[in-house]
Amino acid sequence: MSGIAQFRTVVLDTPDPKGLAEFYSRLLGWPITSAEDDWVVVSDGGAPKRLAFQLAPDLRPSTWPDPERPQQIHLDLLVSDLDEAEKQVLELGAVKHEHQPDEKDDDFRVFLDPAGHPFCLCLS
């Protein structure tokens, strides 16, 4: 199926583009490929595996699951060992979200990156 466009980048707002790019660079093992004061990119070589971080000094982080400020977007990231991956992302500066909707099956866990964006580590 041919679409109108091709996917290029997921862009996350943050008050600290360089800091958040460094977090995701270490998390995903992708180098920082472009850096300016207000725009930083990490990539494994190009679209579609590319994340960008855009300066948003007044960002108000999500309060999910409280609907006052919903998560709006989150990333699902595959890992082979949830316990080991959790330990590593916490060392990078992530925070385990208090709301864990999948505690019964434990095949994914919800975290917040340093700017407060939710992301999930999912068993591969």
Side-chain angles (χ1 to χ4, degrees):
M1 179 175 171
S2 180
I4 294 169
Q6 293 182 358
F7 182 84
R8 181 174 181 201
T9 306
V10 171
V11 180
L12 298 176
D13 286 352
T14 177
D16 180 10
K18 180 90 162 94
L20 196 57
E22 289 170 350
F23 172 84
Y24 279 100
S25 175
R26 293 179 62 201
L27 176 62
L28 298 171
W30 297 353
I32 293 175
T33 58
S34 174
E36 299 174 26
D37 291 341
D38 61 351
W39 181 265
V40 182
V41 176
V42 299
S43 175
D44 79 335
K49 294 184 178 179
R50 181 178 137 120
L51 288 174
F53 307 93
Q54 174 175 271
L55 180 62
D58 297 326
L59 177 72
R60 295 178 54 203
S62 166
T63 58
W64 176 86
D66 180 341
E68 180 184 330
R69 287 194 312 268
Q71 60 181 321
Q72 299 176 2
I73 188 171
H74 76 270
L75 303 174
D76 284 346
L77 307 171
L78 295 174
V79 299
S80 58
D81 182 326
L82 274 174
D83 292 330
E84 182 60 26
E86 177 175 325
K87 179 182 167 209
Q88 292 174 341
V89 300
L90 294 175
E91 289 171 357
L92 289 179
V95 174
K96 189 170 184 180
H97 200 292
E98 63 184 45
H99 182 67
Q100 296 294 321
D102 189 46
E103 292 179 56
K104 181 181 167 195
D105 294 330
D106 197 33
D107 61 356
F108 73 89
R109 296 179 192 161
V110 183
F111 297 86
L112 301 173
D113 70 22
H117 302 106
F119 70 93
C120 295
L121 296 180
C122 307
L123 269 178
S124 57

